[in-house]
Amino acid sequence: MSSTPATSPRVIVIGAGIVGCSLADELTARGWSDVTVLEQGPLPAPGGSTSHAPGLVYRTSPSKTLSAFAQYTVEKFSALRADGQSCFNAVGGLELATTPERWADLHRKAGLAASWGIEGEIIDPDECLKLWPLLDRDRILGGFHTPGDGLARSLPACRAQSERAGARGARFLDRTTVTGIEQRGGRVTGVTTDRGSFPADLVVSAAGFWGPVIGRMAGIDIPLLPLAHQYARTAPLAELAGVNTPRTEASRPILRHQDRDLYFREHTDRIGVGSYAHRPLPVDAFTVPRYEETPGMPSSYPFTEEDFAPSWEECKTLLPALARTRVDEGFNGVFSFTPDGMPLLGESSALRGFWLAEAVWVTHSAGVAKAVAEWMTEGRASLDLHECEVSRFENAQSSPAYVEERAARQFIEVYDVVHPLQGMEQPRPLRVSPFYARQLQLGAHFLEGGGWERPHWYEANSERATAEQLPPRDPWSARHWSPIAAAEARATRERVAMYDMTPLRRLEVTGPGALDFLQHMTTNNLAKKPGSVTYTLLLDEMGGVLSDLTVARLAEQHFQLGANTPADLDRLLDHAPDDVQIRDITAGTCCIGVWGPLARDLVQPLTRDDLSHQALGYFKSLRTHIGHVPVTAMRLSYVGELGWELYTTADLGLRLWDTLWEAGGPHGVIAAGRSAFNSLRLEKGYRSWGHDMTAEHNPYEAGLGFAVRMNKGDFIGRDALAALGEPTRRLTALTLDDPAAVVLGKEPVYINSAESAAGYLTSAGYGYTLGRCVAYAWLPPLAPGTPVHIDYFGAKTAATVAEEPLFDPEMTHILK
């Protein structure tokens, strides 16, 4: 296997299911011909999840990335042909509502579809009955119809893509079991199998639910849990006689009855039923038998009739014709779940050259393969993948117990109505700040993020909320919200509040080459005196925003970075020279944000250093003491008010809280939560990476051009920025015209009477200072004052493009 690594590296793909075959096709289409796909089972049906998957492809998801994956899967498989027919049957999709909660959720889902450019409409029960005549009309309130969804013919799609990849040079070897991953110096060098060794420059694990087995060979824990999912087929139905042919197999939409965790599809004159209503049935990937040792497929376990019995009764209620037939056959099919329900994509930081394309359903298969192939061959994907990156999980989220508990919960919640702010209920608490005991005493309402307990508001402030004049909220926007947030926001604007900022990631960069390294990695000029703080960006080579950072230069060779995700650390480590040291200091440190017009009155008496504006200006830092506690004080404010972020070590955190709390009593200090914080930062126009901008956006579109210094010298992404023309879209501030209206984010935005959405919302929240809801949206460039409307649960909500910043444009609240 000779090749030139620089142009066509030797690639081994482990697994010839739908992901492995799609990836081989995508890689070879990009000129990488030295691709070998190893499969332990026989081709073309090797016995993994692909071999038994019912092939459902439904595109609408709260995740824009997952929706894009699914859209590409539909496009690609529709163009693929095998056995003289398309590899995709566009029968459409129909989701039913039998409860008011689901009916509302379908309207929200229709909004998501419009945001992501997917055709769909809300339909009444009569229209549902036309699409599925077997339905009991009286059971349903209506449905959401997506005509472009449908059924992937998975195995023919595998065959068509493997043939195409083979014509470009790829090899597919079946009945070849991987037994080891070879490595040297922290980099993959090949794969060992029961049929010999295969040298490789890059190895991709696309092994499906066997992923943890391959990961262990590589010395990597893959956070994936295989779970069995029930699928049954009825005996022939007289009502379906002559409706379909064995070749077309299905003509009616995929039917989803999510209120009972069920879905249905036609199999000629039979109906297939999938159920998520049963108890989680975890499978140990290390005990799954080989293909030769199973009577059927390794991924197909015996059907447990007792688990399916309640679902069968629900099936007969929704589709009365099923009472005249029976379950003819069934199986428990194994597939993969992760703690957050998202795929695992990208290169491992623990073993370079070892890539993952795991926990991928047929729905997203071709889209994932395209993204991973782009990433491997070009260094970046055309889609934002931060929700899918293998590095997204914290160390605290990597234990086998955590993975099993959370992944099992993902199975249970597959068809649940899930609010955007809804977090997992267990295992909690997992990560807590040093202030946790005090927060409990104050009645903190916690929501979870990244394993952290994050206070969103405090019941101790409930009496203050009675004075707030707030419009009523609909049931959806009222969830995970309290009017207390308004009182906390007001106290921040009028007096002073303490915010727990501990969950924000902190990195330390030191060494002789630290400045030059950070200058090359980021967009802003960091060559400033110690004591300076700078807002800057991490870009990819094409100018996409990978993250935003605050960089404090604490000493000549010592920097502290405020970052976002574990991926930020990985990217910095990837590029760091030998004379630079980087470490994550989050767990050993903590932070309190003290903000409000009385912040200086509270903090100044606690230190002997001068905290006046003249002595410690905005975006400056100082090492000082607050009472007995050594702190690094950074003059930053993400709420638009005077104040500091005060950092200390975790062991002194509680003392810092108590010191500030006691001193703040005469000034009316309160503890405030993330709900107020988000409202205040939206009023000020501060961006939230991962919500408002991602790698799909450049700094100028996102309104962050002030953080780019093109004249400072070379940095990653500079050439791409220099070649940009005028933006065709911008992150745009909107205010809702009706002071009582509220939106939540991801809703579609329309201009004039256009039928198609012009863009979509990112962040949204009620601006308590402004007395109306504030939202940000990706839209074509529009002048302030331009009217638009937002589709919120099917209702048109008027909004207006606003001039930024909405609050305190003269910065008088901060610069004092």
Side-chain angles (χ1 to χ4, degrees), residues 464 488-499 593-603 641-644 660-661 663-672:
R464 299 174 183 270
E488 293 176 357
R490 187 173 302 280
T492 307
R493 290 277 188 242
E494 296 178 353
R495 295 185 304 280
V496 61
M498 291 165 50
Y499 289 81
V594 182
W595 291 308
L598 302 182
R600 186 174 285 116
D601 296 320
L602 191 164
V603 178
E641 296 293 337
L642 170 69
W644 298 267
L660 293 168
W661 188 258
H667 304 291
V669 70
I670 67 162

Side-chain angles (χ1 to χ4, degrees), residues 74 167 195 340 364 446 474 569 799:
V74 168
R195 295 175 58 181
D340 61 1
H364 310 115
F446 294 99
D474 65 90
L569 176 61

Side-chain angles (χ1 to χ4, degrees), residues 88 97 101 114 161 272 298 302 336 419 446 621 627 755:
F88 186 75
E101 294 78 14
Q161 291 180 102
S336 304
H419 191 276
F446 294 99
S621 69
E755 294 186 4

Side-chain angles (χ1 to χ4, degrees), residues 302-637:
F303 191 61
T304 50
E305 295 182 6
E306 66 277 10
D307 288 311
F308 194 71
S311 290
W312 182 240
E313 294 304 313
E314 292 291 346
C315 292
K316 291 185 289 186
T317 301
L318 183 71
L319 304 170
L322 296 185
R324 297 187 291 277
T325 187
R326 69 184 190 284
V327 175
D328 189 49
E329 58 181 339
F331 64 93
N332 291 0
V334 183
F335 65 138
S336 304
F337 281 81
T338 59
D340 61 1
M342 299 294 287
L344 298 168
L345 310 180
E347 186 180 16
S348 168
S349 60
L351 179 61
R352 292 309 181 194
F354 184 77
W355 287 69
L356 297 183
E358 296 288 8
V360 181
W361 295 5
V362 171
T363 304
H364 310 115
S365 54
V368 163
K370 177 189 177 188
V372 173
E374 290 173 337
W375 202 351
M376 294 177 71
T377 60
E378 303 168 27
R380 75 187 297 268
S382 54
L383 290 173
D384 168 56
L385 300 181
H386 83 272
E387 296 174 303
C388 308
E389 289 184 337
V390 296
S391 61
R392 68 186 182 271
F393 295 112
E394 307 281 351
N395 289 337
Q397 299 172 301
S398 300
S399 70
Y402 182 95
V403 172
E404 182 171 346
E405 189 167 355
R406 292 269 176 139
R409 190 67 197 173
Q410 288 294 331
F411 178 91
I412 293 170
E413 293 183 353
V414 162
Y415 280 172
D416 284 2
V417 176
V418 178
H419 191 276
L421 293 177
Q422 180 178 330
M424 289 285 191
E425 294 304 318
Q426 296 295 333
R428 291 178 61 185
L430 184 63
R431 306 175 79 187
V432 299
S433 79
F435 325 126
Y436 184 64
R438 298 295 183 263
Q439 293 165 344
L440 288 174
Q441 292 169 358
L442 293 170
H445 179 86
F446 294 99
L447 295 179
E448 181 266 351
W452 287 100
E453 295 297 319
R454 303 184 182 208
H456 272 243
W457 63 83
Y458 294 85
E459 288 298 326
N461 300 321
S462 59
E463 289 188 9
R464 299 174 183 270
T466 59
E468 299 295 331
Q469 300 297 315
L470 299 174
R473 289 204 170 205
D474 65 90
W476 187 264
S477 65
R479 291 178 64 187
H480 305 293
W481 173 83
S482 170
I484 296 172
E488 293 176 357
R490 187 173 302 280
T492 307
R493 290 277 188 242
E494 296 178 353
R495 295 185 304 280
V496 61
M498 291 165 50
Y499 289 81
D500 181 1
M501 307 301 290
T502 302
L504 301 183
R505 181 170 304 278
R506 292 171 291 284
L507 308 178
E508 183 182 74
V509 180
T510 58
L515 175 60
D516 290 342
F517 166 65
L518 291 172
Q519 285 282 72
H520 174 69
M521 293 298 297
T522 70
T523 59
N524 213 332
N525 184 17
L526 307 180
K528 302 173 183 176
K529 294 179 180 179
S532 64
V533 184
T534 306
Y535 179 81
T536 188
L537 307 171
L538 280 175
L539 305 182
D540 62 24
E541 294 288 355
M542 298 304 294
V545 181
L546 293 174
S547 188
D548 61 346
L549 310 172
T550 52
V551 180
R553 191 174 192 181
L554 304 181
E556 287 291 333
Q557 300 179 9
H558 185 183
F559 295 82
Q560 180 174 310
L561 279 57
N564 286 296
T565 73
D568 294 343
L569 176 61
D570 283 352
R571 291 187 184 99
L572 293 172
L573 288 172
D574 280 348
H575 290 83
D578 292 339
D579 61 350
V580 172
Q581 295 79 47
I582 305 171
R583 66 188 186 106
D584 190 327
I585 62 172
T586 309
T589 55
C590 59
C591 178
I592 299 174
V594 182
W595 291 308
L598 302 182
R600 186 174 285 116
D601 296 320
L602 191 164
V603 178
Q604 181 63 81
L606 300 175
T607 180
R608 297 181 182 182
D609 289 297
D610 186 357
L611 298 185
S612 67
H613 182 62
Q614 294 72 26
L616 187 66
Y618 195 46
F619 270 82
K620 300 295 181 182
S621 69
L622 173 71
R623 285 174 165 169
T624 184
H625 286 79
I626 300 297
H628 297 90
V629 181
V631 301
T632 299
M634 296 187 193
R635 179 84 184 277
L636 304 175
S637 176

